[in-house]
Amino acid sequence: MKRFLLQAERNCISGALVLLPLLVFFILLGKVWKFFQDYGEKFAHFLRLDLVLGKYATDIAGGLILLILIYLSGYLMRLAVLKRFTNWIDEKLMIFLPGYEKNKKEAEEKLLKRNHEPKPVTDLPILFKNGDFWQPAHLIEENENGSAVIFVPTAPTHNQGQILIVQSDDFRKLTDTTIGALDESIKSFGKGILSFK
């Protein structure tokens, strides 16, 4: 019974940690959409779209205003002052909204994939010798003195972990493996690593 209660407590805490960022996100999304609906209603009434489209005019006009604002913001992001301001807002959101940074990175990765912009290859997959066992890692850079900088991810996230400075003898390069395959394996807690070469 005690074991069941401990498991239930862990599940409730884990569930709260998953739901809290989603709840905050949807509340913010609802408030933003309400803001644009209010202006969309005025805009639709001004252009007499409400007579043609009826109750849907508010949503359509609000959505158009939002899309135009997003499009224009893309041009404004080229200004250094505005970019610094948005970076400052991002830093504050990372402090006050749990899970914001992770969700932002996932969204950026999805946008990169959608735009077919390949991520620049700056690292190579390796197996790092750590005592009696091997760990999957990324080789970031290596110099002629035999020193190397590696990144050891913490499963199941491939973009969080430790940066280590090691000797070239402490790792083995996986020349026939892509960094994407290694990251997918790390996300699935190491499934498939034994076949990597």
Side-chain angles (χ1 to χ4, degrees):
M1 183 67 178
K2 188 177 179 181
R3 187 175 175 185
F4 171 76
L5 290 173
L6 282 171
Q7 185 66 36
E9 181 185 3
R10 273 193 224 114
N11 285 349
C12 288
I13 291 169
S14 299
L17 290 174
V18 168
L19 288 178
L20 185 61
L22 291 174
L23 183 64
V24 170
F25 172 75
F26 283 114
I27 289 171
L28 287 174
L29 186 66
K31 288 185 183 285
V32 168
W33 183 245
K34 179 74 175 119
F35 174 81
F36 283 102
Q37 268 187 324
D38 292 343
Y39 281 98
E41 183 179 6
K42 293 173 186 170
F43 187 68
H45 185 67
F46 176 73
L47 294 177
R48 304 283 187 220
L49 292 174
D50 53 346
L51 299 175
V52 178
L53 300 171
K55 63 180 181 178
Y56 300 109
T58 301
D59 291 332
I60 292 170
L64 283 174
I65 292 170
L66 178 61
L67 284 174
I68 290 168
L69 187 64
I70 289 170
Y71 184 77
L72 292 175
S73 297
Y75 283 113
L76 291 174
M77 277 303 291
R78 295 177 184 172
L79 299 173
V81 175
L82 191 62
K83 193 161 189 172
R84 281 197 302 269
F85 177 70
T86 53
N87 288 341
W88 178 80
I89 289 176
D90 267 351
E91 288 171 11
K92 299 304 174 198
L93 287 173
M94 284 177 201
I95 294 169
F96 295 111
L97 290 179
Y100 173 78
E101 184 177 14
K102 181 183 171 195
N103 290 329
K104 182 186 172 195
K105 283 182 181 175
E106 287 176 2
E108 286 173 350
E109 285 176 7
K110 286 178 183 175
L111 281 174
L112 282 174
K113 285 178 186 173
R114 184 175 291 167
N115 293 336
H116 304 292
E117 293 177 13
K119 286 174 74 177
V121 179
T122 56
D123 49 18
L124 298 169
I126 60 168
L127 287 177
F128 167 58
K129 180 81 166 149
N130 189 355
D132 293 333
F133 56 91
W134 295 86
Q135 278 184 281
H138 297 201
L139 174 62
I140 305 301
E141 65 180 8
E142 195 175 7
N143 67 16
E144 61 278 355
N145 298 332
S147 296
V149 177
I150 67 167
F151 174 72
V152 182
T154 305
T157 58
H158 68 281
N159 55 2
Q160 294 178 357
Q162 295 181 340
I163 297 170
L164 303 174
I165 298 173
V166 299
Q167 294 301 308
S168 298
D169 299 336
D170 296 333
F171 61 85
R172 188 177 78 212
K173 292 179 183 176
L174 300 171
T175 53
D176 295 340
T177 304
T178 64
I179 203 72
L182 183 75
D183 288 344
E184 285 302 315
S185 179
I186 290 166
K187 284 182 190 175
S188 60
F189 296 100
K191 189 173 182 179
I193 286 182
L194 293 176
S195 63
F196 289 171
K197 294 180 182 174

